[in-house]
Amino acid sequence: MKKLIPISIAILFIAVIILFVMQCNVSKECAAPAGKAETPAIRADGTDLTIAYINTDTLLLNYQLSRDLNEELLKKQEDARTNLNQEARAFESEMQEFQRKLENNGFLSRDRAEREQQRLINREQELKDLNAKLSNELMVRQQEISSQLLDSITIYLKEMNLDKDYDLILSTTVGGTILHAKDGLNITGEVLDALNNRYKKKK
């Protein structure tokens, strides 16, 4: 019987969520004229881009909303596994009882034995269907959580950027695409503190 798919800290899948391009310049373009090697770092008017980045591993591990949603998902997974295991144990007992009766000629007729066998076959299919249903419910909830976290983070970044006016806010993970940057470009701590403060006020 297939096991439930592992979810645990699967919400880290949204570590690629924020490749977040915002307000580049008056023309809304972040590219310099074609053919210039410095294009990725310069606006069309020749001025430098203002860039920051967020480490989403750190953000999601320490954002209280992410922690709470992850805890909820883990509990849902544990409940689903417990429910499925109970049903599986009951089915196993029924199978053992059927085998015992079959070996000891405990059925009054062959027809009765065949009907019980068919019932167990149907029961096994019900368990497979239950496993698929519970797994699907967990995946759907995981997607909902990912979407909720994405909305929470990007909505805050839009509000924050009204004052900060970054041209680009990038997302990275440990060992991700940003291997080195000046200290001032990492705004993870600032964003994390603000998100946690907002979440605390809403609770």
Side-chain angles (χ1 to χ4, degrees):
M1 190 173 300
K2 296 189 298 182
K3 295 181 179 178
L4 287 173
I5 59 166
I7 304 294
S8 59
I9 311 181
I11 51 177
L12 291 181
F13 281 169
I14 66 169
V16 293
I17 59 173
I18 316 173
L19 192 53
F20 191 64
V21 179
M22 307 169 67
Q23 307 173 313
C24 289
N25 59 11
V26 177
S27 67
K28 303 297 181 185
E29 294 182 8
C30 294
K36 291 190 177 182
E38 66 273 17
T39 297
I42 297 180
R43 293 190 184 99
D45 63 5
T47 58
D48 292 340
L49 291 174
T50 54
I51 299 173
Y53 74 92
I54 294 170
N55 185 302
T56 48
D57 285 344
T58 300
L59 189 67
L60 293 173
L61 284 171
N62 295 283
Y63 183 15
Q64 194 58 49
L65 174 61
S66 177
R67 288 182 172 185
D68 290 348
L69 292 174
N70 186 48
E71 184 63 30
E72 173 209 310
L73 188 64
L74 288 173
K75 186 176 186 313
K76 188 177 180 69
Q77 182 187 17
E78 289 169 0
D79 291 345
R81 184 182 292 115
T82 298
N83 183 20
L84 187 61
N85 286 343
Q86 287 174 346
E87 295 290 338
R89 283 194 296 270
F91 173 70
E92 186 177 350
S93 295
E94 292 175 19
M95 285 290 293
Q96 290 173 350
E97 177 62 15
F98 172 74
Q99 188 64 33
R100 186 188 65 77
K101 289 178 71 174
L102 198 63
E103 291 172 354
N104 292 283
N105 296 317
F107 292 101
L108 296 177
S109 67
R110 178 174 179 145
D111 181 62
R112 289 281 293 272
E114 289 176 350
R115 276 187 289 162
E116 179 63 9
Q117 183 180 35
Q118 186 59 50
R119 186 188 73 79
L120 291 171
I121 290 172
N122 293 341
R123 180 74 177 121
E124 183 178 25
Q125 185 58 50
E126 288 173 2
L127 285 175
K128 289 179 181 178
D129 293 343
L130 177 62
N131 181 43
K133 176 177 177 288
L134 294 175
S135 295
N136 185 64
E137 287 176 355
L138 288 169
M139 285 190 290
V140 168
R141 183 56 187 146
Q142 176 191 328
Q143 291 166 358
E144 291 172 351
I145 286 173
S146 296
S147 178
Q148 185 176 348
L149 286 171
L150 173 61
D151 287 346
S152 174
I153 293 168
T154 55
I155 287 171
Y156 169 71
L157 288 177
K158 286 178 183 178
E159 293 175 2
M160 177 201 75
N161 208 46
L162 294 174
D163 293 326
K164 298 291 185 178
D165 198 29
Y166 291 113
D167 293 304
L168 222 63
I169 300 178
L170 304 174
S171 166
T172 191
T173 59
V174 175
T177 53
I178 298 176
L179 299 180
H180 176 72
K182 290 183 179 179
D183 292 340
L185 299 181
N186 186 348
I187 60 171
T188 308
E190 174 189 347
V191 171
L192 179 60
D193 288 344
L195 286 170
N196 279 333
N197 287 335
R198 283 160 60 102
Y199 180 60
K200 185 177 180 180
K201 289 176 182 178
K202 291 180 180 179
K203 291 186 73 173

